[in-house]
Amino acid sequence: MHAFAALLDALIYTRSRNAKLKLIGDYLRDTPDPDRGWAMAALTGGLDLPGVKPAVIRALIESRVDPVLFRMSRDYVGDTAETVALLWPTPDHPPADATPLSVSGVVDALAHLSRSDAPAALAAMLDRLDAEERFALLKMATGGLRVGVSARLAKQALADAFGLDVEAVEEVWHGLEPPYPTLFAWAEGSGTQPTAADVPVFRPFMLAHPLDDLRVDLADYAAEWKWDGIRVQIVHVAGETRLYSRTGDDVTRAFPDVAAAFATHGVVDGELMVKGDVQGGEAASFNALQQRLGRKVVSAKMLAESPAFVRLYDILFDGDADLRALPWTERRARLEAFVARLDPDRFDLSQLVEAADFTALEGIRAGARDAAIEGMMLKRRDSPYVAGRRTGLWYKWKRDPLTADCVMMYAQRGNGRRSSWYSDYTFGCWSEDGELLPVGKAYQGITDQEIAQLDRFVRQHTLNRFGPVREVEKSLVLEIAFDSIHESKRHKSGVAMRFPRIARIRTDKPAAEADTLAALKKLIT
């Protein structure tokens, strides 16, 4: 752990991109397998230790030091791992096992323990480490390093260290499992290069720019609905099917019904949703989809009540044929033929929106309030399928957000550079009985100057304190923008907002004139 801890410490205090690349590259060359593979998994967000959760860490430290001291320190530092690493007490009796811990040893131990056994094992490890190593262990275990290194930078460092093409590394990365033995064997010349013929690899998605105020000619652009699910890429190769999210995360285990139904050799791009009405087959809201996201095991009941399906947008490969260089019109024709070979209960085609001109299209978009529609996509008819955002090819035209005037109820300190500011706000609306009930929480949409303004309000109008959270006077109105709103049994208010953000601070409006829950519920689609 010492070498990995030193790497993280150096990365935190290094601003130069080239210097970061060298630090990671030197570590990967000098560190044996499988430690370097697990380190790469941690740096790229591919490490999952389900037995170690923030609540477990908080419980461990609060059983060893004064809980009030910990909470006040955490409030000041703004990072749980750093706070625990510094406050963790030196054991009265040195651990009997003085063997230095390795990265792979930590992963092996914590990955195979039950949630009930993990706390004791984690505590025993922390007793054997110094503060720098404890910080590294906790960061690695919780999956949030925050050392100024993106997944792409870590892969670039690996490629530079071993003289590889980073695009070749990226091409096969998501088809490999940590600690990446085949990747490092290829890097050091003792193994062959993994290829897309061997593993179901992920290809970066083609993305869209916001349309903003631009108007386009529909002779050059095709319009289709932008569905409100999660974008997925489905890959079937060598008898194996994988589902990847937009960030390249493997979500196959959460949607085994979709994976089992896709057995045609190829790669497609679409929107994964669940059916709200199983008989009718219509797409449900994103709120329904959330019940299945992130699950490693999906019950038979959930599979039956919320069956998943994919509305297909595009096709990248038809068998071994790479179609990405073809214009959109040709890919669309190939996709239509491909979809015809798939199970219609699990896969359908995203239909095009026909309009005489852009003005007519504006009217169609303005009238769309289906719970599963997020807006429109405009795709240039001659566009190839290229990774990332390319100006002029694809545009996303989201429907106008909904808004509501809500009253600030609670505020919490942020993380990172916002750790000294009250920048996370819980807000509510009025019930029929005149009670203010929480309807959402937001920390986006405002400038640093507005955060400073709200921070002053919180400090000057605090009613109660609950650790890092403050209850404030119910007098400040925030205009909240959100994409949609849904019924929710988990919230006392009975509603939950989708993507809430602060549109503006309404110092001109008294709290008594904020919106009611009844008004919000009328916006549910």
Side-chain angles (χ1 to χ4, degrees), residues 202-207 231-234 244-248 268-270 316 385-389 394:
F202 166 76
R203 280 86 175 181
F205 281 97
M206 183 169 181
L207 305 176
R231 186 107 174 260
V232 293
Q233 184 178 120
I234 312 176
Y244 293 109
S245 71
R246 206 180 93 169
T247 55
V268 293
D269 173 357
L316 288 68
Y385 192 101
V386 290
R389 291 182 175 86
W394 285 10

Side-chain angles (χ1 to χ4, degrees), residues 130-243:
D130 60 26
E132 187 178 84
E133 293 169 326
R134 288 195 292 266
F135 174 77
L137 169 59
L138 294 172
K139 281 293 188 182
M140 183 177 71
T142 54
L145 295 185
R146 292 186 179 180
V147 292
V149 174
S150 65
R152 176 69 178 193
L153 186 77
K155 295 168 194 173
Q156 184 69 61
L158 183 148
D160 291 350
F162 296 100
L164 304 177
D165 176 7
V166 69
E167 296 303 331
V169 173
E170 193 76 72
E171 178 82 357
V172 299
W173 180 267
H174 294 283
L176 303 175
E177 296 289 340
Y180 315 112
T182 56
L183 180 64
F184 283 104
W186 165 43
E188 294 189 324
S190 58
T192 59
Q193 177 180 349
T195 68
D198 307 315
V199 292
V201 302
F202 166 76
R203 280 86 175 181
F205 281 97
M206 183 169 181
L207 305 176
H209 280 280
L211 185 66
D212 295 327
D213 297 326
L214 183 68
R215 298 173 69 86
V216 301
D217 188 342
L218 296 187
D220 298 326
Y221 287 84
E224 62 182 288
W225 292 116
K226 188 178 190 302
W227 298 98
D228 193 11
I230 63 166
R231 186 107 174 260
V232 293
Q233 184 178 120
I234 312 176
V235 185
H236 182 86
V237 65
E240 184 179 1
T241 299
R242 297 267 189 98
L243 275 68

Side-chain angles (χ1 to χ4, degrees), residues 166-464:
V166 69
E167 296 303 331
V169 173
E170 193 76 72
E171 178 82 357
V172 299
W173 180 267
H174 294 283
L176 303 175
E177 296 289 340
Y180 315 112
T182 56
L183 180 64
F184 283 104
W186 165 43
E188 294 189 324
S190 58
T192 59
Q193 177 180 349
T195 68
D198 307 315
V199 292
V201 302
F202 166 76
R203 280 86 175 181
F205 281 97
M206 183 169 181
L207 305 176
H209 280 280
L211 185 66
D212 295 327
D213 297 326
L214 183 68
R215 298 173 69 86
V216 301
D217 188 342
L218 296 187
D220 298 326
Y221 287 84
E224 62 182 288
W225 292 116
K226 188 178 190 302
W227 298 98
D228 193 11
I230 63 166
R231 186 107 174 260
V232 293
Q233 184 178 120
I234 312 176
V235 185
H236 182 86
V237 65
E240 184 179 1
T241 299
R242 297 267 189 98
L243 275 68
Y244 293 109
S245 71
R246 206 180 93 169
T247 55
D249 295 322
D250 189 334
V251 296
T252 310
R253 284 188 291 180
F255 301 95
D257 42 352
V258 173
F262 192 88
T264 305
H265 185 24
V267 181
V268 293
D269 173 357
E271 198 79 7
L272 189 147
M273 298 181 283
V274 298
K275 296 179 181 179
D277 178 357
V278 177
Q279 299 299 321
E282 294 300 318
S285 68
F286 185 84
N287 192 51
L289 175 63
Q290 276 188 311
Q291 310 307 312
R292 290 190 58 174
L293 289 177
R295 292 179 179 268
K296 293 184 172 59
V297 178
V298 184
S299 68
K301 180 181 179 182
M302 182 167 285
L303 288 171
E305 293 180 350
S306 301
F309 74 103
V310 179
R311 187 150 286 164
L312 297 175
Y313 293 140
D314 216 320
I315 183 167
L316 288 68
F317 283 77
D318 187 351
D320 292 325
D322 187 347
L323 310 182
R324 289 175 291 179
L326 297 179
W328 175 87
T329 51
E330 293 186 36
R331 295 199 313 278
R332 175 76 184 192
R334 295 288 290 265
L335 178 62
E336 290 173 357
F338 191 91
V339 172
R341 309 199 300 267
L342 301 177
D343 180 354
D345 287 335
R346 297 293 179 184
F347 307 96
D348 63 18
L349 190 64
S350 180
Q351 298 300 313
L352 302 181
V353 181
E354 301 295 341
D357 53 32
F358 193 83
T359 300
L361 192 66
E362 285 180 308
I364 295 172
R365 169 183 167 272
R369 274 297 168 193
D370 185 292
I373 291 177
E374 195 179 25
M376 280 186 177
M377 292 292 298
L378 297 168
K379 299 179 179 179
R380 190 168 177 87
R381 297 178 187 274
D382 60 359
S383 62
Y385 192 101
V386 290
R389 291 182 175 86
R390 300 293 179 91
T391 302
L393 297 185
W394 285 10
Y395 290 103
K396 56 185 176 182
W397 192 19
K398 288 194 172 185
R399 63 187 183 185
D400 295 332
L402 301 168
T403 61
D405 289 330
C406 305
V407 181
M408 184 194 292
M409 301 177 67
Y410 305 98
Q412 182 174 350
R413 289 197 180 195
N415 290 296
R417 70 183 186 88
R418 287 186 173 186
S419 61
S420 297
W421 303 91
Y422 285 94
S423 59
D424 295 12
Y425 314 107
T426 298
F427 42 83
C429 289
W430 299 106
S431 70
E432 291 182 359
D433 300 329
E435 183 182 3
L436 197 60
L437 297 178
V439 296
K441 182 177 181 179
Y443 54 87
Q444 294 178 320
I446 53 177
T447 65
D448 289 346
Q449 290 75 17
E450 289 170 321
I451 290 174
Q453 177 185 345
L454 292 177
D455 182 80
R456 284 194 299 274
F457 173 84
V458 171
R459 294 175 188 275
Q460 293 171 5
H461 297 82
T462 295
L463 297 177
N464 291 296

